[in-house]
Amino acid sequence: DRALPADAALRARAVRVIPGGLWGHMNAARLPASFPQYFGRSEGCRLWDADGNEYIDFMCAYGPVVLGYRDAEVEAAVAARLAKGDIFNGPAPELVELAEALVDTVAHADWAMFQKNGTDATTACVTLARAGTGRRKVLVAKGAYHGAAPWCTPSLVGVTAEDRAHIAEFAYNDIASLQTAAEAAEGELAGVIVSAFRHDARRDQESPAPEFARAVRALCDRTGAALILDDVRAGFRIDIRGSWEPLGVRPDLSAWSKAIANGHPLAAVTGTDRFREAAQSTFMTGSFWCGAAAMAAALVTLRRLRDTDAIQHMKTMGERLREGLAAQARAHGVALRQTGPAQMPMLLFDDDPDLAKGDSFVKEALARGVYLHPWHNMFLSAAHRPEDIDLALEATDAALRETARRFS
Ligand code: PMP
């Protein structure tokens, strides 16, 4: 493996003062050994690790970066806002402008509220569904990620049965299981939370079947439960109006974060008038939820995503990558599965139960300056140019050849 002395030194210091070196999804212990943990610089679709190695990046900080790292217009808006102040004893005017922008852009939205992280937003949606219906039960797709709060975190360590007492599971895209779970809720159904598509880790991604999406809507209409769309990961990459808008299915409540402010910390809940009363009677807040710099970033990000071909561009770049990889996999005789929207690709190999092929492939690509993920969906940005994709494909060609050789 490559030597990353600065990275190694930081990791050695970190384990003494940070439990496990790092919490959560960005802990590099989850990745092959040669992956850097620490980064120092970013620009466009490129990252530099703490040792100064440059990568063409396909993770976009796990989604938040949608226009590209350090987009000049976004950063100028943030700098201008910071020069006048970010947090005060109340919000800055950007709060109202941004709520108006979301209500104008998001198809179902009659109102908006802001938080910081995706978990804040999904948790708020669950609370609002309960407040608005006066009921307790919430249906969640098995294996879906909605955040790291006790009601939804994938690890049960430190979670009590009571934290999950009114959470029941169904299988994504399985109408019968949805109906069974709804019947078991016996008139107590407050909401159904669904992700924009099935993007669980370590498995092929799945689009929502249109009939499944319509069945969720029909179930919520029939029972009075809230349809909660968790658009935290997919939001602003599929359809600016909401990721289920192409299916013609509108949620009652949506959770947003990640891409909303091109990397600046912000989350949002949007809702329909039916939940306005619930939203104004529930006490929800946070010290940093009115931070204006992230809102200034979001105003620029939303406008650019709405007024340019950024989303189509990400899709086109994702397709260029996908087609290139497919041709290379055929040429090297490896069975590579590419699933999900092209702008949020997942790469998994056939006959790879312990993901050793995936690890080999991403390690070889990383050594050639391309940062891919072995088992999590990846993200394209509007800053990926055709020439970046073509350069990345040169690296993946060698990485696939090497992987094919090793596993033949
Ligand atoms: N929902 C989905 C679909 C997500 O992908 C994530 C984050 N990966 C969350 C919720 C939680 O967001 P955060 O990590 O910002 O709390």
Side-chain angles (χ1 to χ4, degrees):
D1 289 343
R2 300 169 309 145
L4 297 173
D7 195 80
L10 287 163
R11 289 194 201 211
R13 286 164 57 194
V15 291
R16 301 185 53 205
V17 290
I18 299 160
L22 187 62
W23 54 86
H25 67 296
M26 286 185 178
N27 189 330
R30 295 153 63 95
L31 291 165
S34 59
F35 273 66
Q37 177 70 85
Y38 293 91
F39 296 86
R41 191 157 76 86
S42 64
E43 186 173 356
C45 68
R46 310 221 170 206
L47 279 179
W48 286 262
D49 67 23
D51 286 276
N53 299 299
E54 179 178 341
Y55 306 98
I56 300 176
D57 176 46
F58 288 97
M59 286 308 287
C60 295
Y62 284 77
V65 173
V66 67
L67 297 174
Y69 289 102
R70 297 201 296 122
D71 175 83
E73 197 187 353
V74 172
E75 296 313 303
V78 169
R81 180 16 92 195
L82 287 177
K84 292 188 283 182
D86 179 23
I87 60 170
F88 310 96
N89 301 344
E94 284 90 332
L95 173 77
V96 182
E97 291 169 36
L98 184 57
E100 286 171 346
L102 279 177
V103 167
D104 284 348
T105 308
V106 173
H108 81 111
D110 293 319
W111 53 262
M113 297 170 74
F114 300 98
Q115 308 82 20
K116 279 292 149 192
N117 288 288
T119 306
D120 300 335
T122 55
T123 302
C125 286
V126 166
T127 302
L128 293 180
R130 287 172 169 157
T133 60
R135 304 184 196 154
R136 301 184 289 182
K137 306 280 181 192
V138 175
L139 305 187
V140 179
K142 194 173 169 51
Y145 188 75
H146 296 298
W151 71 268
C152 59
T153 182
S155 163
L156 291 177
V157 179
V159 173
T160 66
E162 288 79 4
D163 289 322
R164 301 282 172 103
H166 303 297
I167 302 291
E169 291 183 333
F170 64 96
Y172 199 92
N173 264 342
D174 181 338
I175 297 172
S177 85
L178 176 72
Q179 269 153 5
T180 304
E183 277 157 30
E186 289 183 328
E188 275 289 337
L189 193 60
V192 181
I193 182 165
V194 281
S195 52
F197 61 95
R198 188 170 184 180
H199 46 46
D200 311 350
R202 297 186 180 80
R203 67 185 310 289
D204 292 342
Q205 304 193 93
E206 263 177 58
S207 301
E211 55 276 21
F212 169 74
R214 286 194 293 268
V216 181
R217 183 67 271 171
L219 171 75
C220 291
D221 289 341
R222 196 168 65 246
T223 59
L227 198 175
I228 304 168
L229 185 62
D230 178 353
D231 230 338
V232 168
R233 196 179 309 183
F236 309 113
R237 273 193 169 80
I238 309 280
D239 188 310
I240 188 90
R241 304 165 300 169
S243 295
W244 275 20
E245 201 55 23
L247 301 172
V249 175
R250 287 200 181 150
D252 301 297
L253 297 165
S254 287
W256 309 86
S257 188
K258 290 202 186 274
I260 192 170
N262 200 46
H264 292 275
L266 192 67
V269 171
T270 52
T272 59
D273 274 332
R274 193 182 145 215
F275 288 89
R276 187 185 288 267
E277 168 68 25
Q280 70 194 45
S281 55
T282 312
F283 186 76
M284 290 192 223
T285 191
S287 296
F288 301 103
W289 286 11
C290 287
M295 294 183 186
L299 280 166
V300 175
T301 305
L302 275 183
R303 177 173 49 71
R304 288 264 297 284
L305 290 171
R306 201 177 48 211
D307 297 351
T308 70
D309 70 344
I311 293 179
Q312 180 56 46
H313 177 79
M314 282 184 265
K315 188 160 179 271
T316 306
M317 292 303 102
E319 283 162 358
R320 191 180 184 99
L321 178 70
R322 181 166 287 184
E323 284 157 22
L325 284 170
Q328 293 170 353
R330 276 194 302 277
H332 298 301
V334 286
L336 177 66
R337 302 194 306 278
Q338 306 192 66
T339 57
Q343 59 274 48
M344 296 177 66
M346 172 84 94
L347 302 179
L348 293 168
F349 290 84
D350 279 1
D351 306 317
D352 194 24
D354 53 1
L355 301 178
K357 290 183 194 172
D359 280 1
S360 159
F361 171 59
V362 297
K363 266 179 86 155
E364 295 295 337
L366 189 83
R368 293 168 175 83
V370 174
Y371 193 110
L372 301 169
H373 201 291
W375 47 259
H376 190 285
N377 77 269
M378 298 181 277
F379 300 86
L380 277 287
S381 78
H384 285 82
R385 315 306 321 169
E387 47 276 26
D388 300 313
I389 304 297
D390 295 348
L391 260 180
L393 283 169
E394 285 177 28
T396 60
D397 191 42
L400 279 170
R401 181 185 309 113
E402 191 55 34
T403 301
R405 191 190 57 74
R406 200 169 290 158
F407 289 87
S408 65

